[in-house]
Amino acid sequence: MTDSISLPTSDWPVLEAGWVWLCGAGPGDPGLLTLHALNALRQADVVIYDALVQEAILDWAPQAEHIYAGKRGGKPSAKQKDISLRLVDLARAGKRVLRLKGGDPFVFGRGGEEAQTLVQHGIPIRIIPGISAGIGGLAYAGIPVTHRDVNQSVTFVTGHDQTGEVTSSLDWEAISRGSQVLVIYMGMKHAERIAGALMAAGRAADEPVAVVVEATTDKQAVLETTLGDLVADIAASKLAPPAIICVGRSVLMRQVLDWQGMAAGAAPRDLDPLGRGMPAEAQ
């Protein structure tokens, strides 16, 4: 990738010296980057990027200094305070700073914390949303996060808090009752506790579950299982984070919507996985 791709004619915003733009890089596939993100990459003097940002995306900013600031559970990582204050220092040095975060910066990405720090230090900011893995990653797996015959609500949950443990502030019973489909970010490490909490709160052990790892990349893998078998099947699969876990009957739709599998020549496993007994277009 280079800067040879032309942006459509438009009044694109200018990344000024001393500004920080906080930008979502999407779930992995560089093609899911927004045009505003591409415009920012073209202008930046410095790109500070996270662990889940694909290296190919950085190729769109050959003129910029690339600074890694990844935070991965269980591995040595930069402290959040240091990352936030470095953004301040770079902006005060007159740099055009792009903070590039996987997915969407405001969806379990600490973008709000970083943006608040910048504003408190008098640094002007712009927020560029990105496609969150909980939506885009599931779509690449052939799982619609909402489907009229399955759910009228969806809940996005983080699998751990700032300490790395399952967050104590979540009311799993209320979450279990309140939403037909659950999308859990960063929950693979604590899958046993999460599955146990959901079943204790009333979710059925045979409820469909999908685990999508390395979503939208060429390393993407999908495990289809049930809530009761989730822990054993993860162990047997030897899959590792980063992962999105989806709980709910919408997972069944992968049997008919695994578009990547079909593109590779596989046939749909079930044209009516929800058992409606009628064509999809029928009311």
Side-chain angles (χ1 to χ4, degrees):
M1 298 176 195
T2 67
D3 60 359
S4 61
I5 301 174
S6 299
L7 287 168
T9 301
S10 182
D11 186 17
W12 295 102
V14 175
L15 175 51
E16 302 282 0
W19 280 64
V20 177
W21 287 7
L22 293 100
C23 175
D29 184 344
L32 297 178
L33 207 69
T34 67
L35 292 179
H36 273 305
L38 178 57
N39 176 52
L41 284 162
R42 295 276 182 81
Q43 300 181 69
D45 296 317
V46 181
V47 179
I48 300 185
Y49 65 99
D50 282 347
L52 299 182
V53 174
Q54 298 294 300
E55 290 285 342
I57 290 174
L58 299 175
D59 290 345
W60 272 318
Q63 80 291 342
E65 178 184 4
H66 301 163
I67 300 175
Y68 177 74
K71 297 175 70 65
R72 295 293 297 274
K75 297 181 180 180
S77 303
K79 294 181 179 179
Q80 185 59 52
K81 177 182 178 182
D82 294 337
I83 295 172
S84 297
L85 293 179
R86 190 168 194 182
L87 294 172
V88 173
D89 290 342
L90 287 167
R92 285 179 172 168
K95 301 294 186 180
R96 297 175 295 176
V97 184
L98 177 61
R99 177 65 170 114
L100 197 60
K101 305 176 76 67
D104 182 281
F106 280 5
V107 180
F108 302 126
R110 297 189 175 182
E113 299 170 38
E114 295 178 5
Q116 184 178 13
T117 295
L118 290 162
V119 172
Q120 287 176 342
H121 285 79
I123 305 299
I125 65 171
R126 182 183 184 97
I127 309 298
I128 301 175
I131 297 175
S132 177
I135 297 174
L138 291 179
Y140 264 49
I143 300 170
V145 75
T146 65
H147 187 73
R148 186 174 61 173
D149 295 318
V150 172
N151 62 315
Q152 290 72 50
S153 64
V154 60
T155 298
F156 297 95
V157 180
T158 179
H160 63 75
D161 60 16
Q162 297 181 41
T163 69
E165 296 299 319
V166 176
T167 177
S168 58
S169 64
L170 290 177
D171 185 338
W172 289 105
E173 185 173 351
I175 290 170
S176 179
R177 291 196 316 266
S179 187
Q180 298 104 323
V181 172
L182 309 177
V183 179
I184 304 166
Y185 292 69
M186 301 169 287
M188 204 170 187
K189 177 181 176 182
H190 301 300
E192 183 173 5
R193 292 178 61 184
I194 292 170
L198 289 173
M199 288 187 287
R203 304 293 283 229
D206 63 355
E207 184 165 15
V209 177
V211 182
V212 185
V213 303
E214 302 278 2
T216 79
T217 73
D218 56 6
K219 297 180 181 178
Q220 176 178 296
V222 182
L223 170 66
E224 296 176 58
T225 181
T226 62
L227 201 54
D229 292 333
L230 176 62
V231 176
D233 285 349
I234 286 177
S237 73
K238 301 187 184 305
L239 295 177
I244 291 290
I245 301 174
C246 181
V247 180
R249 292 182 67 241
S250 63
V251 169
L252 297 175
M253 292 298 293
R254 176 171 161 79
Q255 297 176 29
V256 68
L257 299 180
D258 179 12
W259 58 273
Q260 289 185 319
M262 288 186 282
R269 286 173 282 155
D270 188 340
L271 293 177
D272 186 20
L274 299 178
R276 295 179 75 243
M278 63 183 74
E281 69 272 15
Q283 296 294 326

